[in-house]
Amino acid sequence: MNLGRIALILAGATALEFLFGGSKYRAAWPVDWLLVGTAIVARSGGFGRSVLAGTAAGLLEDALTESLLGLNAFAKAVLGYLLAFFSVRVMFGGALAVGGVLALCSLANDAIVAVLRSLLLDSPIVLGTPYALWRAIATGATAGALEAAWSFPWREWRERRRLRRLR
Protein backbone atom coordinates (compact mmCIF):
# COMPACT_ATOMS: atom_id res chain seq x y z
CA MET A 1 0.00 0.00 0.00
CA ASN A 2 1.48 3.34 -1.02
CA LEU A 3 1.71 6.43 1.17
CA GLY A 4 -0.87 8.36 -0.84
CA ARG A 5 -3.50 5.69 -0.22
CA ILE A 6 -2.60 5.58 3.49
CA ALA A 7 -2.93 9.37 3.72
CA LEU A 8 -6.28 9.20 1.94
CA ILE A 9 -7.55 6.48 4.31
CA LEU A 10 -6.45 8.44 7.38
CA ALA A 11 -7.92 11.68 6.02
CA GLY A 12 -11.24 9.97 5.37
CA ALA A 13 -11.23 8.34 8.81
CA THR A 14 -10.40 11.68 10.43
CA ALA A 15 -13.20 13.40 8.53
CA LEU A 16 -15.69 10.73 9.58
CA GLU A 17 -14.47 10.88 13.19
CA PHE A 18 -14.70 14.66 13.17
CA LEU A 19 -18.15 14.79 11.56
CA PHE A 20 -19.75 11.97 13.53
CA GLY A 21 -17.80 12.61 16.74
CA GLY A 22 -19.04 16.17 16.94
CA SER A 23 -22.60 15.15 16.16
CA LYS A 24 -25.33 15.01 18.77
CA TYR A 25 -26.02 11.47 17.49
CA ARG A 26 -22.55 10.22 18.49
CA ALA A 27 -23.93 7.97 21.23
CA ALA A 28 -26.32 6.27 18.79
CA TRP A 29 -23.54 4.67 16.68
CA PRO A 30 -20.10 5.49 18.14
CA VAL A 31 -17.70 4.00 15.59
CA ASP A 32 -13.95 4.37 16.08
CA TRP A 33 -13.27 5.35 12.47
CA LEU A 34 -9.56 5.84 13.08
CA LEU A 35 -9.25 2.25 14.33
CA VAL A 36 -11.06 1.07 11.21
CA GLY A 37 -8.60 3.10 9.10
CA THR A 38 -5.66 1.58 10.98
CA ALA A 39 -7.07 -1.90 10.36
CA ILE A 40 -7.44 -1.19 6.63
CA VAL A 41 -3.78 -0.17 6.44
CA ALA A 42 -2.71 -3.14 8.59
CA ARG A 43 -4.53 -5.53 6.29
CA SER A 44 -1.85 -4.98 3.65
CA GLY A 45 0.62 -6.66 6.01
CA GLY A 46 3.27 -3.94 6.20
CA PHE A 47 4.41 -3.69 9.81
CA GLY A 48 6.13 -0.31 9.57
CA ARG A 49 3.31 1.35 7.69
CA SER A 50 0.73 -0.15 10.03
CA VAL A 51 2.52 1.17 13.11
CA LEU A 52 3.00 4.60 11.55
CA ALA A 53 -0.61 4.73 10.38
CA GLY A 54 -1.78 3.69 13.85
CA THR A 55 0.42 6.32 15.45
CA ALA A 56 -0.85 9.03 13.11
CA ALA A 57 -4.47 7.96 13.63
CA GLY A 58 -3.98 7.91 17.39
CA LEU A 59 -2.39 11.36 17.40
CA LEU A 60 -5.31 12.69 15.36
CA GLU A 61 -7.75 11.13 17.83
CA ASP A 62 -5.78 12.54 20.77
CA ALA A 63 -5.86 15.97 19.18
CA LEU A 64 -9.64 15.72 18.84
CA THR A 65 -10.53 14.09 22.17
CA GLU A 66 -7.74 13.84 24.77
CA SER A 67 -6.01 16.35 26.99
CA LEU A 68 -2.74 14.39 26.86
CA LEU A 69 -1.29 13.56 23.44
CA GLY A 70 0.07 10.08 22.87
CA LEU A 71 -2.35 7.79 24.70
CA ASN A 72 -4.36 6.73 21.67
CA ALA A 73 -1.26 7.02 19.48
CA PHE A 74 0.49 4.32 21.50
CA ALA A 75 -2.63 2.14 21.68
CA LYS A 76 -3.36 2.34 17.95
CA ALA A 77 0.32 1.75 17.08
CA VAL A 78 0.30 -1.45 19.14
CA LEU A 79 -3.00 -2.53 17.61
CA GLY A 80 -1.75 -1.69 14.10
CA TYR A 81 1.28 -3.90 14.68
CA LEU A 82 -0.83 -6.76 16.05
CA LEU A 83 -3.36 -6.51 13.23
CA ALA A 84 -0.56 -6.56 10.64
CA PHE A 85 1.02 -9.52 12.42
CA PHE A 86 -2.23 -11.50 12.35
CA SER A 87 -3.15 -10.47 8.81
CA VAL A 88 0.16 -11.87 7.56
CA ARG A 89 -0.11 -15.13 9.48
CA VAL A 90 -3.86 -15.76 9.64
CA MET A 91 -6.42 -15.55 6.88
CA PHE A 92 -9.50 -13.94 8.39
CA GLY A 93 -12.66 -15.77 7.43
CA GLY A 94 -14.95 -13.06 6.16
CA ALA A 95 -16.99 -10.22 7.52
CA LEU A 96 -17.90 -11.81 10.86
CA ALA A 97 -14.27 -12.52 11.71
CA VAL A 98 -13.16 -9.02 10.74
CA GLY A 99 -16.00 -7.48 12.75
CA GLY A 100 -15.19 -9.61 15.79
CA VAL A 101 -11.48 -8.80 15.63
CA LEU A 102 -12.14 -5.08 15.38
CA ALA A 103 -14.64 -5.22 18.26
CA LEU A 104 -11.93 -6.84 20.40
CA CYS A 105 -9.41 -4.25 19.18
CA SER A 106 -11.77 -1.46 20.20
CA LEU A 107 -11.98 -2.90 23.71
CA ALA A 108 -8.19 -3.37 23.78
CA ASN A 109 -7.71 0.25 22.67
CA ASP A 110 -9.90 1.45 25.55
CA ALA A 111 -8.02 -0.80 28.00
CA ILE A 112 -4.58 0.41 26.87
CA VAL A 113 -5.67 4.05 27.07
CA ALA A 114 -7.19 3.48 30.54
CA VAL A 115 -3.99 1.88 31.85
CA LEU A 116 -1.82 4.64 30.37
CA ARG A 117 -4.13 7.30 31.78
CA SER A 118 -3.88 5.61 35.18
CA LEU A 119 -0.09 5.45 35.05
CA LEU A 120 0.45 8.97 33.74
CA LEU A 121 -2.43 10.95 35.24
CA ASP A 122 -3.22 8.92 38.38
CA SER A 123 -6.81 8.41 37.31
CA PRO A 124 -8.73 5.24 38.15
CA ILE A 125 -8.84 2.40 35.62
CA VAL A 126 -12.37 2.05 34.29
CA LEU A 127 -12.95 -0.88 31.94
CA GLY A 128 -16.05 -2.40 30.43
CA THR A 129 -18.36 0.59 30.61
CA PRO A 130 -21.61 0.31 28.65
CA TYR A 131 -20.39 3.03 26.28
CA ALA A 132 -17.12 1.16 25.62
CA LEU A 133 -19.03 -2.05 24.91
CA TRP A 134 -21.46 -0.23 22.62
CA ARG A 135 -18.55 1.44 20.83
CA ALA A 136 -16.89 -1.95 20.33
CA ILE A 137 -20.10 -3.42 18.91
CA ALA A 138 -20.60 -0.43 16.60
CA THR A 139 -16.99 -0.52 15.40
CA GLY A 140 -17.10 -4.27 14.82
CA ALA A 141 -20.42 -4.16 13.00
CA THR A 142 -19.27 -1.28 10.79
CA ALA A 143 -15.98 -3.02 9.97
CA GLY A 144 -17.84 -6.24 9.20
CA ALA A 145 -20.25 -4.40 6.92
CA LEU A 146 -17.36 -2.67 5.13
CA GLU A 147 -15.60 -6.03 4.68
CA ALA A 148 -18.77 -7.61 3.32
CA ALA A 149 -19.23 -4.73 0.88
CA TRP A 150 -15.57 -4.90 -0.16
CA SER A 151 -15.59 -8.65 -0.80
CA PHE A 152 -19.02 -8.80 -2.46
CA PRO A 153 -18.82 -9.70 -6.20
CA TRP A 154 -20.42 -6.48 -7.46
CA ARG A 155 -19.45 -6.97 -11.10
CA GLU A 156 -21.05 -10.44 -11.31
CA TRP A 157 -24.12 -9.22 -9.46
CA ARG A 158 -24.60 -6.35 -11.92
CA GLU A 159 -24.12 -8.70 -14.86
CA ARG A 160 -26.69 -11.21 -13.54
CA ARG A 161 -29.11 -8.39 -12.87
CA ARG A 162 -28.64 -7.00 -16.39
CA LEU A 163 -29.17 -10.44 -17.91
CA ARG A 164 -32.34 -10.95 -15.86
CA ARG A 165 -33.75 -7.70 -17.17
CA LEU A 166 -33.06 -8.75 -20.76
CA ARG A 167 -35.13 -11.95 -20.45
Side-chain angles (χ1 to χ4, degrees):
M1 185 173 286
N2 62 11
L3 293 177
R5 185 176 286 175
I6 293 172
L8 185 65
I9 289 170
L10 290 179
T14 303
L16 288 170
E17 188 76 33
F18 186 73
L19 291 174
F20 290 119
S23 168
K24 63 181 178 179
Y25 303 111
R26 170 74 176 166
W29 198 249
V31 176
D32 189 353
W33 293 106
L34 293 166
L35 180 62
V36 173
T38 301
I40 291 170
V41 173
R43 184 126 189 214
S44 68
F47 291 104
R49 291 176 192 235
S50 300
V51 170
L52 290 176
T55 302
L59 281 174
L60 289 169
E61 185 172 353
D62 286 337
L64 293 173
T65 61
E66 290 288 333
S67 59
L68 182 63
L69 293 177
L71 300 177
N72 281 301
F74 178 75
K76 285 192 177 24
V78 168
L79 291 173
Y81 179 81
L82 290 175
L83 285 169
F85 179 78
F86 285 119
S87 73
V88 167
R89 285 161 179 72
V90 177
M91 182 63 93
F92 290 119
L96 288 176
V98 169
V101 166
L102 276 215
L104 288 175
C105 284
S106 178
L107 291 174
N109 183 53
D110 290 343
I112 292 169
V113 169
V115 169
L116 288 174
R117 194 178 288 131
S118 172
L119 291 172
L120 296 173
L121 300 175
D122 289 332
S123 63
I125 297 176
V126 180
L127 298 174
T129 62
Y131 180 76
L133 294 174
W134 179 239
R135 183 174 178 170
I137 291 168
T139 302
T142 301
L146 288 173
E147 173 64 25
W150 182 259
S151 62
F152 187 78
W154 293 104
R155 184 170 291 147
E156 292 84 9
W157 177 76
R158 273 194 310 266
E159 186 64 26
R160 282 193 312 257
R161 188 170 177 208
R162 187 184 68 80
L163 289 174
R164 245 184 299 176
R165 271 194 240 151
L166 291 176
R167 288 184 200 174

